Amino acid sequence: MGNKLLMAVVVLTGAMVAGAETTYFRDSSGRLTGSVTTDGNGKTVYKDGQGRVQRTVTTDRNGKTTFRDYLGRTQGTVQTDARGKTTWRDASGRVQGSSSTDQYGKTTWRDSTGRTQGTMQTDKYGKTTYRDYLGRLQGSSQTDKYGKTTYRDAAGRMQGNVTTDKNGKTTWRDSSGRIQGTSTTDRYGKTTYRDGSGRIIGTRTVR
């Protein structure tokens, strides 16, 4: 779990330019692998390491988000209505799925025909349970008063945990308690990601 999370976060550098924010992604060798630019008007552009547009995401004033490929062709949309129901549609506008949260905080995911695919609910103790379409428990997560989040499978067996200490160091551990990765942020806002052996795999700097 930890390695997947950490390896997905490579070197990032953010910069504000005339209302726009750009984040640059670099690998552990400092090579540019891509960038993400948000213009402040709801448009986000994703580019590869060569500066070529890979896809764009735009959100209009009604909260409808549209995904387009590098040629500007619509790939799909996501929109949340006034009741909090979120609907995903394909390029032709056909419903692909939806999610909604009831008054008790239970979130239900449904497929294109409205059939329940799974649910998620957090109780008053902060324990979140995940269930399949038949209501069978698939797993859970819970954060204690010290900020430690523990993940368990359907049988209650620990799968891993995440902790953040008073200095802001976050540590990911597997089911045996072995460190899978860490992240630390210095006073200048630079975040460094390391694997289970303490080797740097990337950094993130926001300016």
Side-chain angles (χ1 to χ4, degrees):
M1 177 183 67
N3 280 338
K4 291 182 179 179
L5 289 173
L6 289 172
M7 291 304 290
V9 186
V10 287
V11 179
L12 315 170
T13 302
M16 293 295 293
V17 180
E21 180 179 277
T22 300
T23 300
Y24 298 97
F25 297 80
R26 299 178 186 277
D27 60 22
S28 58
S29 298
R31 292 170 298 202
L32 183 66
T33 59
S35 67
V36 179
T37 300
T38 302
D39 66 7
N41 295 312
K43 181 177 181 180
T44 301
V45 179
Y46 298 82
K47 296 180 181 179
D48 64 17
Q50 304 299 314
R52 297 170 296 199
V53 174
Q54 299 300 293
R55 65 183 184 280
T56 62
V57 180
T58 56
T59 302
D60 63 25
R61 66 181 62 183
N62 297 314
K64 180 180 179 180
T65 298
T66 302
F67 304 88
R68 295 181 173 86
D69 65 13
Y70 69 102
L71 291 176
R73 297 172 297 196
T74 297
Q75 301 299 294
T77 64
V78 176
Q79 187 166 21
T80 301
D81 63 25
R83 296 183 177 181
K85 179 181 178 180
T86 299
T87 302
W88 291 267
R89 298 177 185 275
D90 64 15
S92 299
R94 294 170 297 205
V95 174
Q96 299 300 293
S98 65
S99 69
S100 59
T101 302
D102 64 22
Q103 59 183 324
Y104 303 106
K106 179 181 178 179
T107 299
T108 301
W109 287 273
R110 296 180 173 84
D111 65 15
S112 59
T113 63
R115 294 174 299 194
T116 297
Q117 300 299 293
T119 65
M120 175 183 76
Q121 187 167 21
T122 302
D123 63 24
K124 62 181 180 180
Y125 301 106
K127 180 179 180 179
T128 300
T129 53
Y130 308 88
R131 299 178 184 277
D132 66 13
Y133 70 103
L134 290 175
R136 297 172 298 196
L137 183 66
Q138 301 299 295
S140 66
S141 65
Q142 186 166 18
T143 303
D144 62 24
K145 63 181 180 180
Y146 302 107
K148 177 181 179 180
T149 300
T150 301
Y151 300 88
R152 299 180 184 279
D153 64 15
R157 296 168 297 202
M158 188 181 77
Q159 300 300 293
N161 62 65
V162 180
T163 59
T164 300
D165 64 23
K166 62 181 180 180
N167 297 313
K169 179 179 179 179
T170 298
T171 302
W172 291 266
R173 292 184 172 85
D174 64 16
S175 59
S176 298
R178 294 170 297 200
I179 293 176
Q180 300 299 293
T182 64
S183 69
T184 55
T185 302
D186 63 24
R187 61 179 178 173
Y188 302 106
K190 179 181 179 181
T191 300
T192 300
Y193 301 88
R194 294 181 170 85
D195 63 18
S197 299
R199 294 171 297 201
I200 294 176
I201 59 173
T203 63
R204 177 187 181 193
T205 304
V206 180
R207 298 174 181 172

